[in-house]
Amino acid sequence: MVNKSEYQDVLLKLRQGNTVIGGSTCHRQMIQLSEEAQRITCDLNYRFHTKEEIRELFSRLIDKPVDDEFGLFPPFYTDCGKNISLGKRVFINAGCNFQDQGGLTLGDDTLIGHSVVLATLNHDLDPELRANLHPAAVTIGKRVWIGAHATVTPGVTIGDGAVVAAGAVVTRDVPERAVVAGVPAKIIKTVGVVLVCSHLRSHQHHTIDSTVI
């Protein structure tokens, strides 16, 4: 098992985006962190727990305090856990996969739908170097809603209030309040933007329809 000072060094290197050479000491420590995460998620996923017990287990998994209003429906999967940072009142639905080695931040009031994948690692494109790993953090803002079966790829930032439609594959940053859909995801509308239309004799305010799904 990796001790705390060792894994903090590893997590910092990953958050900084340093390439991990396959078979290196850092790579072996990542595997040890993964094994620890498997032990905790096996406990989390394969028997019933109260909401309080789920919060305690998730706090152990990420090695950080968890907000009293945090919600999770198991099962939940991660091959690290220690590079997850949560805001307040985050909700994660069943079947999600968080690959958080490169750093994964979820802002306040974020909603994560069923079977969402958040990925922060890429393998090298060169077949001779394919075992090497390139971490890149994923940052999700406040009040974001990510629909079921969506995938967010390494290095993406999703702005406050944005919506990711079910099944979307997000490969680029998403602006605040944008609604994105498709593979790869593209902006299809904006949520709740107030337009001011001026005329010679009157001013009227119109709000774009914010219905998404």
Side-chain angles (χ1 to χ4, degrees), residues 116-180:
V116 166
V117 175
L118 305 178
T120 66
L121 290 177
N122 274 318
H123 286 278
D124 202 287
L125 289 178
D126 184 340
E128 301 302 319
L129 301 174
R130 191 62 51 82
N132 294 348
L133 297 166
H134 303 291
V138 167
T139 302
I140 298 171
K142 298 178 181 180
R143 299 176 301 281
V144 172
W145 174 23
I146 300 181
H149 295 275
T151 297
V152 180
T153 60
V156 166
T157 294
I158 299 178
D160 293 349
V163 178
V164 176
V169 177
V170 184
T171 60
R172 296 183 179 181
D173 290 354
V174 177
E176 291 185 6
R177 293 183 173 271
V179 180
V180 298

Side-chain angles (χ1 to χ4, degrees), residues 39-177:
R39 282 190 286 270
I40 298 172
T41 53
C42 279
D43 188 1
L44 174 67
N45 293 337
Y46 295 111
R47 65 188 183 91
F48 174 77
H49 294 284
T50 65
K51 291 182 291 185
E52 292 76 17
E53 289 170 338
I54 288 171
R55 286 195 292 269
E56 191 277 330
L57 283 165
F58 206 86
S59 179
R60 278 178 50 204
L61 179 65
I62 69 174
D63 197 27
K64 301 176 187 72
V66 172
D67 177 63
D68 287 344
E69 296 180 74
F70 168 75
L72 168 72
F73 287 170
F76 174 84
Y77 306 99
T78 178
D79 46 9
C80 181
K82 298 294 190 290
N83 252 350
I84 297 172
S85 297
L86 299 177
K88 296 181 179 180
R89 298 174 298 278
V90 170
F91 175 72
I92 302 168
N93 220 321
C96 290
N97 288 264
F98 287 9
Q99 183 197 55
D100 61 283
Q101 287 93 331
L104 177 57
T105 301
L106 281 68
D108 296 347
D109 301 299
T110 288
L111 305 175
I112 307 295
H114 291 88
S115 301
V116 166
V117 175
L118 305 178
T120 66
L121 290 177
N122 274 318
H123 286 278
D124 202 287
L125 289 178
D126 184 340
E128 301 302 319
L129 301 174
R130 191 62 51 82
N132 294 348
L133 297 166
H134 303 291
V138 167
T139 302
I140 298 171
K142 298 178 181 180
R143 299 176 301 281
V144 172
W145 174 23
I146 300 181
H149 295 275
T151 297
V152 180
T153 60
V156 166
T157 294
I158 299 178
D160 293 349
V163 178
V164 176
V169 177
V170 184
T171 60
R172 296 183 179 181
D173 290 354
V174 177
E176 291 185 6
R177 293 183 173 271

